[in-house]
Amino acid sequence: MTHIAIAGAGIGGLTAAVALGRAGHDVTVYEQAPEFARVGADINLTPNAVCGLDGIGAALRESAAQPTHRISRTWDTGEETSRIALSETALDRYGAPQLTMHRADLMTALESAAVAEPTVAIEFGAKVTTVDPTTATIEFADHAAASADVVIGADGIHSAIRTACFGPDDPDFTGVVAYRAVVPAERLAGVPNLGAFTKWWGPDPDTQIVTFPLNRGRDIFVFATTPRSTWTAESWTMPGDPDELRALYREFHPEARALLDGCDTVLASALYVRDPLPAWSMGAVTLLGDACHPMMPFMAQGAGQAVEDAVVLARCIDTVPGIPAALATYEAARRERTARIQVGSRNNNWLKDSGSGDWVYEYNPWTVPLGDAAVASPA
Ligand SMILES: Cc1cc2nc3c(=O)[nH]c(=O)nc-3n(C[C@H](O)[C@H](O)[C@H](O)COP(=O)(O)OP(=O)(O)OC[C@H]3O[C@@H](n4cnc5c(N)ncnc54)[C@H](O)[C@@H]3O)c2cc1C
């Protein structure tokens, strides 16, 4: 049994904890928040992410919606430039559907799966300040230090573990601000395709509106981006101004504007980019998810890549003899794919006119080959 410490009880950290706990390992997750809270808005889980989460038994479908199609439309004329069937078609093609849900409902499902594992413990109010990669010892702001056989930095975009191993990062503001809102579907009577994932491509690459159903279709999530020359904070939880949002898109097609008219409250966040990291591991410490490859939201892969990392890392720790070899195998299996998606997300042209998305969606983290170092692989 390997003793594993995970910094961060987010999407990737909890997925890794459950996968490792199910394999019989002893896992402690350290989370800075005092408890789980209903924060954020949407999570868009493409089939590759759903496949990873199905493998740990996360109960997603009670609260999720299944978008019927992925539709691209032109901002002013409303012309449809592409339409890809999802739902049952995605299930047949990839073995899992696309699911869209409130982030808090996903966190609830992951928390339930984690507390059901007898060898997994979650400590709240444990803010990691640094790690020693040689001894795999974590230090905390207000908590006794803790050691493990391996430390996983799943502590998100501002990762303290990444900073301790590789120094502070220097993200670039993209000049793009994103607005997020959740609108009751009953306010949007007459707006077509509410059951679909729809992207309104704007007059320039940075201006767009994306919508998809949440809460089994009772709500519609609205995500809109716009160019902005200055911004200071990188946050998921900063309030924005709904009237400012409506004014920015006043030239859009009436069906797109109707979606914004339904917004009472919005969150606003600046979008930052980082280049792919040259390495994720040092000594007995490694990173996963946003800690090592934060990405723009335009391919909807932030959560999906964290889930894929978590499953592949758990398989490596479980099947590759020796922690250094396990972490090297993990990086070799994951770095090229995540870098390609990080760069693709920045380009913001994913599935604009054509293409199937197969290379992203058909990836199964439970069966993808791990390389020669793995001696066995759980199903
Ligand atoms: C509050 C919040 C709201 C979000 N809202 C949305 C949203 O509405 N839509 C969307 O698409 N994505 C949202 N995201 C981002 C999305 O969840 C992630 O991009 C993605 O799931 C990657 O997962 P991750 O596990 O790598 O990181 P995250 O899911 O971000 O998890 C990181 C975890 O680490 C914890 N943590 C951070 N620093 C420390 C520390 N020093 N010590 C201990 N714990 C630490 C955080 O509290 C968090 O629980 C949100 C993230 C957060 C943290």
Side-chain angles (χ1 to χ4, degrees), residues 170-191:
D170 187 18
D172 291 324
F173 175 47
T174 55
V176 181
V177 168
Y179 293 86
R180 293 181 148 78
V182 178
V183 184
E186 64 191 17
R187 280 194 208 156
L188 301 174
V191 178

Side-chain angles (χ1 to χ4, degrees), residues 184-199:
E186 64 191 17
R187 280 194 208 156
L188 301 174
V191 178
N193 299 317
L194 289 181
F197 175 108
T198 301
K199 182 157 177 171

Side-chain angles (χ1 to χ4, degrees), residues 6-15 29-45 101-104 106-107 110 123-130 138-141 153-161 180 182 212 221 223 235-237 267 269 288-295 297 300-307 309-310:
I6 300 178
I11 293 168
L14 288 181
T15 303
V29 186
Y30 298 99
E31 167 58 45
Q32 67 178 357
E35 58 186 1
F36 283 119
R38 285 191 71 83
V39 288
D42 66 299
I43 279 290
N44 183 357
L45 299 171
M101 59 199 301
H102 198 293
R103 184 177 185 274
L106 172 58
M107 296 311 298
L110 288 172
E123 291 196 21
F124 289 97
K127 183 179 171 64
V128 173
T129 53
T130 191
I138 310 181
E139 292 181 24
F140 300 89
D155 50 345
I157 204 156
H158 302 294
S159 170
I161 301 283
R180 293 181 148 78
V182 178
F212 51 79
F221 173 67
F223 173 84
S235 163
W236 286 103
T237 51
L267 299 174
S269 42
L288 65 70
D290 280 4
C292 51
H293 47 65
M295 48 186 68
Q301 288 301 311
Q305 293 311 300
V307 168
D309 287 348

Side-chain angles (χ1 to χ4, degrees), residues 19 51-56 311-312 314-315 363-368 377-379:
C51 181
L53 292 165
D54 280 348
I56 60 162
V311 172
V312 171
R315 289 175 60 207
Y363 183 99
N364 182 337
W366 294 99
T367 57
V368 70
S377 188

Side-chain angles (χ1 to χ4, degrees), residues 106-302:
L106 172 58
M107 296 311 298
T108 301
L110 288 172
E111 184 190 5
S112 301
V115 299
E117 291 302 325
T119 62
V120 173
I122 306 175
E123 291 196 21
F124 289 97
K127 183 179 171 64
V128 173
T129 53
T130 191
V131 65
D132 179 340
T134 315
T135 60
T137 302
I138 310 181
E139 292 181 24
F140 300 89
D142 189 12
H143 189 288
S147 295
D149 298 319
V150 55
V151 173
I152 300 172
D155 50 345
I157 204 156
H158 302 294
S159 170
I161 301 283
R162 180 187 62 218
T163 302
C165 292
F166 302 111
D169 71 342
D170 187 18
D172 291 324
F173 175 47
T174 55
V176 181
V177 168
Y179 293 86
R180 293 181 148 78
V182 178
V183 184
E186 64 191 17
R187 280 194 208 156
L188 301 174
V191 178
N193 299 317
L194 289 181
F197 175 108
T198 301
K199 182 157 177 171
W200 292 83
W201 296 84
D204 60 75
D206 295 334
T207 303
Q208 54 160 42
I209 300 173
V210 169
T211 69
F212 51 79
L214 292 180
N215 300 325
R216 299 187 70 111
R218 289 192 299 281
D219 295 314
I220 303 300
F221 173 67
V222 177
F223 173 84
T225 62
T226 186
R228 176 78 61 85
S229 57
T230 56
W231 195 271
T232 50
E234 189 179 23
S235 163
W236 286 103
T237 51
M238 200 177 300
D241 179 352
D243 289 330
E244 181 182 285
L245 172 67
R246 285 185 270 274
L248 284 167
Y249 300 89
R250 62 184 170 273
E251 307 291 338
F252 268 63
H253 188 273
E255 288 170 8
R257 293 203 317 267
L259 294 156
L260 306 184
D261 287 343
C263 298
D264 281 343
T265 57
V266 298
L267 299 174
S269 42
L271 301 183
Y272 285 75
V273 287
R274 293 153 173 92
D275 291 327
L277 276 180
W280 296 355
S281 307
M282 182 175 280
V285 178
T286 196
L287 304 172
L288 65 70
D290 280 4
C292 51
H293 47 65
M295 48 186 68
M296 300 278 275
F298 300 124
M299 288 173 71
Q301 288 301 311

